[in-house]
Amino acid sequence: MVGEPVNVNEFQELARQALPKMYYDFFSGGAEDQHTLKENVEAFRRITFRPRMLVDVSRIDFSTTVLGYNISAPIMIAPSGLHKLAHPEGEIATARAAAASNTIMVLSSVSSCTIEEVASSCNAIRFFQIYVCKNRDISAQLVQRAERNGYKAIVLTVDVPRPGRREADIKNKMIVPPLKNIEGLVSTEVDNDEGSILEGFSKEALDASLCWSCFTDTDFSIRCFSWCFYNVKVEDIGWLRSITNLPILIKGVLTREDAIKATEVGVAGIVVSNHGGRQLDYTPATITVLEEVVHAVGGKVPVFLDGGVRRGTDVFKALALGAQAVLIGRPVVYGLAAKGEYGVRKVIHMLKDELELTMALSGCPSMKDITRSHVRTEHEKIHSML
């Protein structure tokens, strides 16, 4: 590729050229047939616009708030692990890019840099993502460290009772460097002859029995809902709420049923996500189920979208279907791999520029002007032909 990239997609090729194959496959790959991975992107292309003409769009404002924090655009950085595999500065470079872009970074619990290192690197608004470990003390310590270091929310990932089958990592025998945030808390030396070391660690450390709980206002009795077919336990989302004052967002919801349960347990927000197509293959693209989740919560909590965003037009489509903001994962890593902190800033800047243009051409001078009537989904197009 000659010259500077002109869109976010071109950063992926630069990342492929810059990274060892094992690491590029780790970041870019999905589960099994990678159907969901591809659909996350393709599904956006099946949504079209219904623009409005003769609207004053001489000034465009796409600034917004998330949990009361002002950000420059409805574009946040999704949690993704091991950024030092993409660039020597790792998550510190990503955090600095978030600060420069005036947006929120969600730091992964399996980051290359520690909670404390990222916190001291810049003044970005930071959320912290966690999994719940079998040893709850580990998760509790991570949450408490995040709270002490100024992180503003906890993002609980709920779609990894077991790791998805990521066949590229299995073939590559993916080697994971030390997981800095949990060094000394859990063994990262896993004897695993079948698959990647990362997969083996996940199976050993993560709690597959995590389930829903509703706490009533009058007592501490618990009504449990089983998560798929895993054993119901008292230790659950209610436990997490009991150990922190930070708001909790739940990431990994794809259905109306789980969206309703999430509001019942008192989460502060929902991230519609299929883990970037890295968990259960043949789950729907997140943009196709966004509206289902938005309707289910009925405005009780904000809903965010994660997965497949590669253009400012994608951001607009998600907003029109009810998302308060989107999270971007792979594009950030590709920018980091290609050009470090500057690459991450460039990726965010490109998406902002494209969103601004989309808003102008659609007749939407501000976020509140973006409505459901500005887009037409594939289902609506098929229905109109019947």
Side-chain angles (χ1 to χ4, degrees):
M1 183 182 297
V2 179
E4 284 285 302
V6 297
N7 59 59
V8 169
N9 289 313
E10 292 184 354
F11 272 101
Q12 181 169 356
E13 176 58 22
L14 293 179
R16 189 189 66 78
Q17 295 172 12
L19 294 175
K21 182 180 184 298
M22 176 185 289
Y23 296 164
Y24 176 76
D25 288 350
F26 168 71
F27 288 124
S28 66
E32 297 185 352
D33 297 328
Q34 302 190 125
H35 171 83
T36 297
L37 172 68
K38 298 166 188 172
E39 267 294 289
N40 272 350
V41 175
E42 290 297 323
F44 275 105
R45 298 175 181 174
R46 296 193 290 269
I47 300 171
T48 55
F49 292 119
R50 302 182 68 248
R52 307 294 192 277
M53 301 302 135
L54 297 177
V55 177
D56 181 359
V57 289
S58 56
R59 296 184 63 184
I60 301 293
D61 179 15
F62 48 65
S63 62
T64 190
T65 61
V66 171
L67 300 186
Y69 298 101
N70 296 322
I71 57 176
S72 61
I75 302 165
M76 305 189 299
I77 295 178
S80 56
L82 302 172
H83 283 200
K84 280 192 176 181
L85 298 184
H87 189 274
E89 293 182 344
E91 288 83 3
I92 288 175
T94 306
R96 288 174 176 162
S101 303
N102 189 21
T103 194
I104 294 168
M105 174 187 179
V106 185
L107 180 69
S108 170
S109 57
V110 292
S111 55
S112 303
C113 302
T114 66
I115 294 167
E116 294 79 9
E117 288 169 341
V118 173
S120 63
S121 67
C122 62
N123 63 350
I125 304 167
R126 296 173 305 275
F127 295 173
F128 183 64
Q129 176 272 334
I130 68 161
Y131 302 99
V132 173
C133 296
K134 292 175 183 175
N135 182 346
R136 296 300 168 93
D137 287 343
I138 296 170
S139 299
Q141 287 185 47
L142 292 173
V143 169
Q144 289 157 6
R145 285 167 59 190
E147 194 162 0
R148 284 197 307 269
N149 283 276
Y151 290 73
K152 303 302 184 184
I154 299 298
V155 178
L156 172 63
T157 296
V158 295
D159 57 2
V160 191
R162 292 178 60 179
R165 184 175 175 82
R166 303 163 195 173
E167 294 178 357
D169 292 346
I170 295 171
K171 288 180 180 179
N172 292 332
K173 294 290 184 182
M174 176 62 191
I175 300 170
V176 178
L179 301 175
K180 302 292 287 186
N181 282 318
I182 59 173
E183 275 190 313
L185 299 177
V186 64
S187 173
T188 58
E189 295 296 325
V190 177
D191 182 13
N192 183 53
D193 294 329
E194 297 181 4
S196 70
I197 293 175
L198 183 63
E199 180 182 7
F201 165 75
S202 299
K203 287 179 180 178
E204 290 294 320
L206 302 185
D207 188 352
S209 69
L210 185 69
C211 69
W212 297 105
S213 283
C214 274
F215 287 78
T216 67
D217 293 332
T218 55
D219 61 46
F220 214 58
S221 64
I222 298 173
R223 177 163 51 94
C224 280
F225 302 86
S226 64
W227 181 276
C228 298
F229 301 109
Y230 304 107
N231 294 330
V232 174
K233 294 175 64 178
V234 171
E235 298 89 349
D236 47 24
I237 295 169
W239 164 82
L240 182 59
R241 291 180 60 203
S242 75
I243 65 168
T244 181
N245 293 318
L246 296 178
I248 297 168
L249 288 79
I250 191 167
K251 177 177 178 285
V253 169
L254 292 171
T255 65
R256 173 183 180 275
E257 293 85 351
D258 282 347
I260 292 171
K261 290 176 182 179
T263 60
E264 289 176 342
V265 300
V267 300
I270 293 173
V271 182
V272 177
S273 174
N274 53 35
H275 217 96
R278 293 164 72 83
Q279 281 298 104
L280 177 61
D281 202 14
Y282 294 93
T283 54
T286 50
I287 192 63
T288 66
V289 296
L290 172 61
E291 245 187 326
E292 176 183 335
V293 172
V294 169
H295 290 164
V297 303
K300 294 176 183 176
V301 297
V303 177
F304 307 93
L305 178 122
D306 167 61
V309 173
R310 299 294 186 271
R311 287 280 189 180
T313 51
D314 299 337
V315 180
F316 185 101
K317 291 170 184 178
L319 298 174
L321 292 173
Q324 184 171 334
V326 303
L327 292 88
I328 55 171
R330 286 186 179 89
V332 166
V333 173
Y334 297 150
L336 181 67
K339 295 178 179 292
E341 177 187 335
Y342 169 79
V344 179
R345 288 164 52 192
K346 187 69 173 176
V347 162
I348 297 170
H349 182 72
M350 283 178 171
L351 292 175
K352 285 182 178 180
D353 280 353
E354 292 176 0
L355 174 60
E356 181 179 24
L357 179 60
T358 305
M359 290 174 67
L361 296 179
S362 297
C364 298
S366 70
M367 293 275 289
K368 65 179 177 60
D369 297 307
I370 302 173
T371 68
R372 178 62 178 82
S373 65
H374 283 93
V375 295
R376 180 181 285 117
T377 63
E378 183 180 32
H379 174 76
E380 291 169 320
K381 286 183 280 189
I382 293 172
H383 183 74
S384 68
M385 293 186 292
L386 297 178

